[in-house]
Amino acid sequence: MFSTKPYSSAFRMVTILALVLFMTACTSYTKVSSEGVKAFRQDIKQNFPDIQKTDIRYSTPRVEVTYTLKEEPNEEEVQLLFTKTKEFMTSSSFQSEVVDGQYRKEYPSWGDPELAITLTVRGEDAAVYQFICKPEKVETDKGEPVYTHWYVQTKGDPEGKLYPDQKSEIKK
């Protein structure tokens, strides 16, 4: 009689390898490029010289601006960078050009994307700050989503909390 032991260990090895490959598969992002995006990148680069790289990209269920910085920013720089990026991402031109014109065309069944702003420091694997805003369905004339409540996650607080900038917007 022959033993199945060599086959069972080979089967286990193949199963483990397949599982590892499945779990390490990365989300593929589509980079966004347009005249409005190029102008925004240039403006940000001029105002924030510590930014080494800016990527504007999307994948389900998110549209994201990622910054790679030369060194960790101070709180004032984070606030200013967040505010400028949030204004850009929630502008009608960005929503029309990127969200409607690109994201929704590629992923029509996914609905409204969440928006994210991610700050990482060169050489570090984890984000220093990540701001996320999920779309809210509010009664509007156009039926478009509203992006109001932004949450921030940091290395020290991975669960996240409402970003303090929100008080004036929530009252609107």
Side-chain angles (χ1 to χ4, degrees), residues 6-7 14 16 19 28 33 47 55 61 73 76 80 85 108 123 125 150 152-156 160 167 169:
Y7 295 109
V14 169
I16 290 171
L19 184 61
S28 65
S33 183
N47 290 308
D55 282 325
E76 185 179 318
L80 187 57
T85 307
D125 291 335
W150 287 80
V152 62
Q153 295 173 315
T154 61
K155 287 191 292 188
K167 291 177 184 142
E169 286 189 353

Side-chain angles (χ1 to χ4, degrees), residues 8-109:
S8 64
S9 64
F11 178 73
R12 254 190 247 142
M13 184 68 92
V14 169
T15 303
I16 290 171
L17 182 59
L19 184 61
V20 168
L21 288 172
F22 175 75
M23 292 180 72
T24 59
C26 296
T27 301
S28 65
Y29 285 93
T30 301
K31 288 189 179 186
V32 175
S33 183
S34 69
E35 291 305 314
V37 166
K38 287 177 188 173
F40 175 75
R41 275 193 185 117
Q42 288 174 345
D43 180 50
I44 287 294
K45 186 69 175 164
Q46 284 179 341
N47 290 308
F48 299 92
D50 279 347
I51 293 177
Q52 182 178 340
K53 183 179 176 185
T54 302
D55 282 325
I56 302 172
R57 60 196 190 168
Y58 63 86
S59 184
T60 57
R62 173 180 290 179
V63 176
E64 179 176 35
V65 175
T66 61
Y67 297 106
T68 304
L69 301 132
K70 295 175 186 170
E71 57 188 40
E72 193 163 334
N74 63 42
E75 196 59 43
E76 185 179 318
E77 292 170 322
V78 170
Q79 173 68 33
L80 187 57
L81 186 56
F82 166 77
T83 301
K84 284 187 161 290
T85 307
K86 178 187 75 164
E87 288 171 1
F88 172 67
M89 293 182 83
T90 57
S91 70
S92 59
S93 61
F94 184 86
Q95 290 293 310
S96 172
E97 191 177 304
V98 176
V99 175
D100 294 335
Q102 295 181 36
Y103 176 86
R104 284 198 179 102
K105 281 185 179 177
E106 191 163 334
Y107 305 110
S109 64

